[in-house]
Amino acid sequence: MSNVQSVRPAEYLVPLAFVVCASWVIWNGPAYIITFGAGNDALNLRSAPAGALEWAALLALPVLTLIGLATVRVAPMEDADIRGLDRLSLFLGRVTMMLVAILVSVMFYEVVVRYVFERPTLWANELSLWMAGFVFILSGIYAMQQRSH
């Protein structure tokens, strides 16, 4: 009998949905500021108050976190003794995997548009740096949980 576990779609779709919702919330952060009345004139000119989609994404974050905590499974190469916050560390490890894949995609896109189409972007470099920072922090949490630091 094989010791390999089958991969369930929730193990990858939930962290990916979490990344999408978190990205939407971060991108639309000024909308929440304006909604709570803390925006100044410059911010009010650049953004609108938070709408239904922004609130749905914000409310989806804790729901996706709870689903992620419930669906995360220990991989064969991971430490099998999980308690308490270990499930959160494993879920954040899965989120980090998604961020790395998205980071590689953004960098590949930038290389193609810069060198093939000669149309470089203004946002890809900064997005890559921010995502790499999040990957660094989240992978540190995962490495500490796995005792591999």
Side-chain angles (χ1 to χ4, degrees):
M1 186 156 109
S2 175
N3 202 12
V4 178
Q5 298 176 355
S6 64
V7 177
R8 296 180 299 184
E11 293 181 61
Y12 293 100
L13 294 178
V14 173
L16 184 60
F18 180 86
V19 168
V20 169
C21 286
S23 300
W24 189 263
V25 167
I26 292 168
W27 181 263
N28 292 294
Y32 301 108
I33 295 171
I34 291 170
T35 301
F36 291 120
N40 57 20
D41 291 336
L43 188 60
N44 290 334
L45 289 174
R46 299 178 85 188
S47 186
L53 189 58
E54 285 80 18
W55 290 111
L58 185 64
L59 293 174
L61 284 177
V63 172
L64 289 169
T65 302
L66 291 175
I67 294 171
L69 294 176
T71 59
V72 71
R73 291 192 303 177
V74 178
M77 71 277 211
E78 293 175 328
D79 186 16
D81 184 29
I82 60 170
R83 301 178 300 258
L85 290 176
D86 291 333
R87 288 184 108 27
L88 180 62
S89 295
L90 289 176
F91 176 66
L92 291 176
R94 304 313 187 262
V95 168
T96 304
M97 288 190 307
M98 295 299 132
L99 285 175
V100 169
I102 295 169
L103 175 62
V104 169
S105 301
V106 167
M107 294 174 82
F108 179 75
Y109 173 79
E110 173 62 16
V111 168
V112 169
V113 297
R114 178 178 297 266
Y115 295 110
V116 174
F117 299 111
E118 296 179 1
R119 304 283 297 177
T121 63
L122 296 172
W123 54 267
N125 182 44
E126 190 165 344
L127 178 64
S128 298
L129 292 173
W130 276 99
M131 287 177 64
F134 278 106
V135 167
F136 180 78
I137 291 170
L138 294 176
S139 61
I141 294 169
Y142 176 76
M144 295 274 283
Q145 188 270 336
Q146 290 296 309
R147 312 276 195 269
S148 61
H149 57 294

